[in-house]
Amino acid sequence: MLQDPSQKYLPHPPVNLPDRQWPNQQLTHAPRWLSTDLRDGNQALAEPMDSARKLRFWELLLKCGFKEIEVAFPSASETDFQFVRQLIEERRIPEDVTIQVLTQARSDLIERTFAALQDAHRATVHLYNATAPLFRRLVFRQSKEEIVQLAVSATRQIRALCEAHPQTQWSYEYSPETFCFTEPDFALQICEAVADVWEPCAERPMIINLPATVEVNTPNVYADQIEYFCRRFSRRNAVCISVHPHNDRGSGVASAELAILAGADRVEGCLFGNGDRTGNVCLVTMAMNLYSQGISPRLDFSDMKQVVEVAEQCNQLPVHPRHPYAGKLAFTAFSGSHQDAIKKGFTARQQASSLRWEMPYLPVDPNDIGCSYEAVIRVNSQSGKSGAAWMLEQNHGLMLPRALQQDFSRHVQARTDRDGNEMTLAAIWQLFRELYGPHKLAGRQLLDYRSESQGEGLLSLQVRIQMEAGVITLQGKGNGLLSAAADALQSRFNVAFAIEDYHEHTLGRHSESRSAAYIRCTFAKGESRWGVGIDNDVARASLQALLNALPSDDRF
């Protein structure tokens, strides 16, 4: 890389718009959407889709709710031409869906395009030509006047062909392809000339598409360009202003959002941002951004996993695991502090009466797009006390006391540091059982118990326990069930301990639900141990938890 890149690269000039209004605007509704996955996205694939893959993608776009879909560049290949014919002849296009096709400003290609669209119910013909100085000078070697004449002549031909086929409801789209680095006044000039020929009205709808074909500046400059155009275009109220942002600078979504603030009505792009080079604006991200602000995107991504699956299979491109909203890890937290905040957020939500989504680190509810909460928190060496506790709560209903969370997390940390791997739910559950024995430990299982009141607040207790050496019977007294059990155990095994913590809760909302009990005992020299018991009878769960808290040594 150059020490002084200014020797080689010049900054793109901004637009002189000191009274810009878009920074004061707010997104309040979704734009019109056009998916160009089957055309622009398809052209960007190393192996373009065959008919079967295109049809599967087409059905996905319909399911997601797209009403405008750019399906092909029919004059560019026989495959594209035949795909348009297949959609029309097999009546695969719903009445409320408009297909769109792209054509260059050449007479023969326009004729071929209309041949592909014969008998379509609704169709948009999309004409483009490059307008920027770089293209005029290096690619086409044409003057401004010649570039305008090219667009005007092609528009005149398209209008004549539309009028010759009145059985189709036609719409016309014109793109000054390299709009974002075309002189603003020349972009206006050529679009005015094209509109003069088309004469947009209710009977002749027109879309003016203003692409960021190659991102050359920050999104605010693109917004200035859009507002500058919208404020000066003479037929603004008669046309739909569309944008087609690419992602060369990684700001395609931001450019599209600011363009809507600046006056655009419509956004063209691809699912997950597929497209040449770094791709197009990601329509999934932009739609879900609106959704997260309480605005209906008028697109349905309630089964995001299927959307990802179909896009990956048809495009033969993976969706990044950290892709916003859709990636496999989009909602996953490994960090301990993140996990703790999310766990507290879900706890608060269970107790809240409002449906309003207020969740640390999660801008939308994964459940809204068909994702479970299982992957929200995953455990590795970076995780804290909340990670494993969350997984046990979500999958086993155990709400560990804070001190037990801390104790268990130390063991989890030691295991993940030793192995260097993420711990699965199965591995976490196995480790928890080994440490605390929520279901009876093999060598210390409560068989039955009997208690009687002795008066004056005393309780006598008799318990039978299955030990490795056989069944033993213990007797003790205390001012409650656990103190009587502790008396029995200490008398029999001549070991001193104290019950320091006790917690219990049900594992469901029904009367027959099982209960979980958690007990922490302290022994000589400050040793502290936890035991967990689960049983239909909370008393049995408590007694088993006490047995599980005792050390596994020769005394027992």
Side-chain angles (χ1 to χ4, degrees):
M1 296 180 68
L2 300 175
Q3 291 295 317
D4 181 10
S6 66
Q7 298 176 6
K8 187 173 183 179
Y9 303 102
L10 295 177
H12 190 271
V15 178
N16 182 22
L17 195 67
D19 59 341
R20 59 182 61 84
Q21 298 300 307
W22 64 262
N24 299 320
Q25 305 304 312
Q26 184 175 359
L27 296 175
T28 58
H29 61 276
R32 285 172 55 179
W33 303 105
L34 174 106
S35 163
T36 187
D37 288 272
L38 297 176
R39 196 279 301 171
D40 195 354
N42 189 50
Q43 287 180 283
L45 300 177
E47 297 181 15
M49 289 180 272
D50 58 18
S51 177
R53 284 157 61 198
K54 290 193 84 168
L55 277 177
R56 188 172 186 208
F57 213 131
W58 164 260
E59 294 297 332
L60 172 68
L61 295 172
L62 294 180
K63 183 177 179 181
C64 290
F66 284 95
K67 300 303 180 184
E68 297 178 69
I69 302 173
E70 191 167 68
V71 295
F73 196 152
S75 64
S77 74
E78 185 63 21
T79 300
D80 271 20
F81 184 94
Q82 291 302 330
F83 180 68
V84 179
R85 296 309 310 151
Q86 182 179 13
L87 293 179
I88 296 170
E89 292 170 4
E90 295 179 3
R91 300 184 182 277
R92 293 178 177 270
I93 309 169
E95 287 290 313
D96 61 344
V97 171
T98 301
I99 60 170
Q100 179 169 302
V101 295
L102 186 70
T103 182
Q104 293 171 306
R106 279 176 41 188
S107 178
D108 57 328
L109 301 183
I110 293 171
E111 290 280 357
R112 179 70 169 166
T113 299
F114 273 83
L117 292 171
Q118 183 176 351
D119 297 324
H121 177 63
R122 304 159 65 98
T124 298
V125 180
H126 180 190
L127 174 76
Y128 76 97
N129 67 321
T131 54
L134 179 66
F135 281 72
R136 299 197 307 262
R137 177 168 51 88
L138 291 182
V139 181
F140 301 110
R141 299 181 181 179
Q142 291 182 326
S143 66
K144 288 182 178 179
E145 291 72 20
E146 290 172 311
I147 293 292
V148 172
Q149 187 56 43
L150 183 68
V152 165
S153 297
T155 302
R156 188 172 291 114
Q157 181 185 5
I158 290 170
R159 176 169 175 175
L161 287 169
C162 288
E163 292 173 348
H165 298 86
Q167 70 274 22
T168 298
Q169 297 178 33
W170 296 105
S171 181
Y172 176 50
E173 176 173 332
Y174 172 68
S175 292
E177 183 205 357
T178 50
F179 166 79
C180 66
F181 51 107
T182 294
E183 306 94 325
D185 289 332
F186 181 57
L188 277 166
Q189 177 189 341
I190 194 168
C191 290
E192 292 279 13
V194 167
D196 285 344
V197 172
W198 183 256
E199 296 183 302
C201 59
E203 292 73 30
R204 280 189 304 280
M206 182 177 184
I207 300 162
I208 293 183
N209 186 50
L210 305 175
T213 307
V214 179
E215 281 196 307
V216 294
N217 213 319
T218 50
N220 62 297
V221 173
Y222 185 53
D224 282 349
Q225 292 172 320
I226 300 299
E227 181 172 334
Y228 185 95
F229 186 96
C230 289
R231 287 166 57 176
R232 287 163 175 77
F233 186 66
S234 64
R235 299 175 187 261
R236 175 64 188 93
N237 293 331
V239 302
C240 170
I241 299 296
S242 180
V243 292
H244 185 122
H246 276 248
N247 199 46
D248 303 85
R249 294 168 57 95
S251 53
V253 170
S255 293
E257 290 177 332
L258 297 193
I260 297 299
L261 295 178
D265 309 303
R266 180 176 180 264
V267 175
E268 299 187 354
C270 292
L271 300 185
F272 310 116
N274 183 34
D276 275 329
R277 306 180 310 280
T278 57
N280 294 294
V281 58
C282 173
L283 298 186
V284 171
T285 300
M286 186 170 176
M288 290 305 302
N289 283 354
L290 291 171
Y291 184 83
S292 73
Q293 301 300 303
I295 301 169
S296 171
R298 296 187 293 120
L299 292 175
D300 182 3
F301 294 120
S302 57
D303 190 355
M304 189 68 80
K305 289 183 179 179
Q306 186 196 32
V307 176
V308 171
E309 177 185 336
V310 173
E312 287 185 330
Q313 290 180 357
C314 293
N315 288 333
Q316 298 181 355
L317 291 172
V319 173
H320 194 282
R322 293 292 186 186
H323 192 100
Y325 304 105
K328 292 179 180 179
L329 299 178
F331 298 105
T332 300
F334 288 102
S335 161
S337 61
H338 289 203
Q339 292 177 347
D340 185 59
I342 292 170
K343 183 175 182 295
K344 289 175 180 175
F346 273 100
T347 299
R349 181 167 177 78
Q350 291 173 354
Q351 301 167 354
S353 58
S354 172
L355 292 176
R356 188 171 300 280
W357 182 255
E358 294 180 309
M359 188 65 59
Y361 297 111
L362 299 180
V364 300
D365 186 348
N367 191 56
D368 288 358
I369 53 176
C371 300
S372 71
Y373 296 140
E374 292 182 9
V376 168
I377 289 178
R378 289 164 58 177
V379 174
N380 64 13
S381 61
Q382 303 299 307
S383 304
K385 67 181 185 302
S386 295
W390 158 269
M391 296 177 74
L392 292 175
E393 180 177 344
Q394 291 298 306
N395 295 278
H396 297 281
L398 298 178
M399 295 180 286
L400 308 190
R402 180 178 177 81
L404 178 53
Q405 292 182 34
Q406 294 171 333
D407 187 79
F408 185 45
S409 72
R410 286 192 290 269
H411 294 281
V412 171
Q413 183 79 38
R415 181 68 61 88
T416 53
D417 279 338
R418 185 193 73 187
D419 298 341
N421 297 323
E422 175 187 356
M423 280 194 77
T424 65
L425 171 62
I428 288 171
W429 181 234
Q430 179 62 31
L431 179 61
F432 188 81
R433 293 181 64 185
E434 292 171 3
L435 293 169
Y436 311 112
H439 303 293
K440 296 86 176 175
L441 290 176
R444 200 178 302 145
Q445 178 179 340
L446 176 69
L447 296 178
D448 55 51
Y449 74 95
R450 185 173 70 249
S451 62
E452 293 182 1
S453 174
Q454 299 294 305
E456 299 181 356
L458 284 178
L459 183 78
S460 67
L461 174 71
Q462 178 177 298
V463 296
R464 289 199 315 130
I465 304 171
Q466 177 70 58
M467 306 289 284
E468 289 185 357
V471 177
I472 64 172
T473 300
L474 305 180
Q475 291 182 335
K477 293 182 180 181
N479 57 8
L481 186 72
L482 289 177
S483 63
D487 176 62
L489 290 165
Q490 292 181 100
S491 299
R492 174 63 182 265
F493 296 108
N494 192 28
V495 61
F497 64 87
I499 298 175
E500 298 290 347
D501 277 309
Y502 174 76
H503 303 268
E504 66 178 56
H505 65 81
T506 60
L507 295 175
R509 298 182 178 181
H510 303 292
S511 58
E512 69 273 14
S513 296
R514 295 186 300 165
S515 295
Y518 311 89
I519 290 178
R520 180 170 69 93
C521 295
T522 57
F523 300 85
K525 299 181 181 179
E527 180 188 4
S528 178
R529 291 180 55 86
W530 281 91
V532 180
I534 297 175
D535 201 284
N536 292 328
D537 180 345
V538 66
R540 290 181 60 88
S542 301
L543 292 171
Q544 186 64 55
L546 178 59
L547 291 174
N548 293 341
L550 301 179
S552 299
D553 57 28
D554 294 339
R555 293 169 294 178
F556 299 93

XYZ file of all heavy atoms in Angstrom, residues 443-444 467-469 472 492-495 527 550-556:
150
model
N -24.272 -44.400 44.120
C -23.882 -44.958 45.402
C -24.584 -44.350 46.597
O -24.180 -44.626 47.742
N -25.612 -43.532 46.389
C -26.268 -42.869 47.520
C -27.676 -42.454 47.111
O -27.929 -41.310 46.775
C -25.439 -41.661 47.933
C -25.724 -41.171 49.349
C -24.828 -40.000 49.672
N -23.434 -40.358 49.552
C -22.488 -39.521 49.119
N -22.795 -38.310 48.778
N -21.240 -39.922 49.038
N -26.859 -47.618 49.600
C -25.434 -47.320 49.462
C -24.786 -48.401 48.597
O -25.412 -49.433 48.286
C -24.773 -47.269 50.837
C -25.440 -46.323 51.829
S -25.193 -44.586 51.446
C -23.493 -44.377 51.995
N -23.555 -48.180 48.217
C -22.870 -49.183 47.411
C -22.752 -50.502 48.159
O -22.817 -51.579 47.570
C -21.481 -48.677 47.009
C -21.516 -47.567 45.979
C -20.124 -47.182 45.511
O -19.151 -47.762 46.047
O -20.011 -46.325 44.619
N -22.593 -50.435 49.489
C -22.419 -51.650 50.284
C -23.747 -52.299 50.666
O -23.762 -53.399 51.221
C -21.623 -51.332 51.547
N -28.983 -48.986 54.121
C -28.832 -48.610 55.518
C -30.044 -47.794 55.948
O -30.703 -47.155 55.120
C -27.538 -47.807 55.766
C -27.593 -46.465 55.009
C -26.303 -48.596 55.381
C -26.445 -45.528 55.365
N -24.427 -40.984 62.227
C -24.020 -42.271 61.650
C -22.565 -42.232 61.157
O -21.800 -43.184 61.347
C -24.951 -42.655 60.500
C -24.539 -43.903 59.730
C -24.566 -45.154 60.615
N -24.136 -46.339 59.898
C -24.966 -47.197 59.302
N -26.270 -46.966 59.363
N -24.517 -48.254 58.681
N -22.180 -41.126 60.505
C -20.871 -41.096 59.851
C -19.838 -40.263 60.607
O -18.705 -40.125 60.150
C -21.025 -40.555 58.419
C -21.863 -41.459 57.560
C -23.147 -41.092 57.188
C -21.375 -42.689 57.134
C -23.921 -41.920 56.396
C -22.152 -43.529 56.343
C -23.422 -43.146 55.976
N -20.241 -39.720 61.758
C -19.310 -38.963 62.601
C -18.584 -37.877 61.802
O -17.351 -37.778 61.801
C -18.293 -39.895 63.255
C -17.516 -39.177 64.363
O -18.036 -38.227 64.987
N -16.288 -39.616 64.606
N -19.356 -37.081 61.070
C -18.800 -35.989 60.282
C -19.626 -34.735 60.566
O -20.847 -34.818 60.701
C -18.807 -36.321 58.779
C -20.218 -36.559 58.282
C -18.132 -35.218 57.976
N -14.463 -26.357 53.500
C -14.907 -27.001 52.270
C -16.408 -26.773 52.084
O -17.187 -26.871 53.026
C -14.615 -28.495 52.313
C -15.056 -29.235 51.052
C -14.925 -30.747 51.189
O -14.565 -31.222 52.295
O -15.197 -31.443 50.203
N -22.934 -34.379 50.011
C -21.899 -34.963 50.858
C -20.713 -35.422 50.024
O -20.883 -35.871 48.885
C -22.479 -36.136 51.648
C -23.666 -35.784 52.557
C -24.159 -37.036 53.260
C -23.291 -34.710 53.563
N -19.506 -35.353 50.555
C -18.312 -35.742 49.784
C -18.348 -37.217 49.413
O -18.928 -38.047 50.120
C -17.162 -35.443 50.747
C -17.716 -34.561 51.792
C -19.171 -34.877 51.905
N -17.722 -37.512 48.305
C -17.611 -38.914 47.875
C -16.277 -39.463 48.398
O -15.296 -39.553 47.662
C -17.684 -39.009 46.343
O -18.905 -38.507 45.877
N -16.207 -39.799 49.685
C -14.978 -40.349 50.253
C -15.310 -41.562 51.104
O -16.461 -42.008 51.155
C -14.204 -39.293 51.056
C -15.036 -38.683 52.169
O -15.949 -39.376 52.677
O -14.770 -37.524 52.547
N -14.331 -42.097 51.768
C -14.498 -43.359 52.482
C -15.500 -43.269 53.631
O -16.049 -44.287 54.064
C -13.144 -43.837 53.033
C -12.180 -44.189 51.917
O -12.666 -44.442 50.795
O -10.957 -44.177 52.160
N -15.737 -42.075 54.138
C -16.679 -41.949 55.239
C -18.098 -42.291 54.811
O -18.944 -42.658 55.621
C -16.655 -40.523 55.804
C -15.361 -40.145 56.499
C -15.329 -38.668 56.787
N -15.275 -37.886 55.559
C -15.281 -36.544 55.534
N -15.349 -35.865 56.662
N -15.218 -35.915 54.384
N -18.358 -42.144 53.526
C -19.717 -42.365 53.046
C -19.769 -43.567 52.090
O -20.571 -43.628 51.209
C -20.238 -41.105 52.355
C -20.288 -39.902 53.265
C -19.230 -39.014 53.330
C -21.384 -39.694 54.086
C -19.284 -37.915 54.172
C -21.441 -38.597 54.925
C -20.387 -37.695 54.967
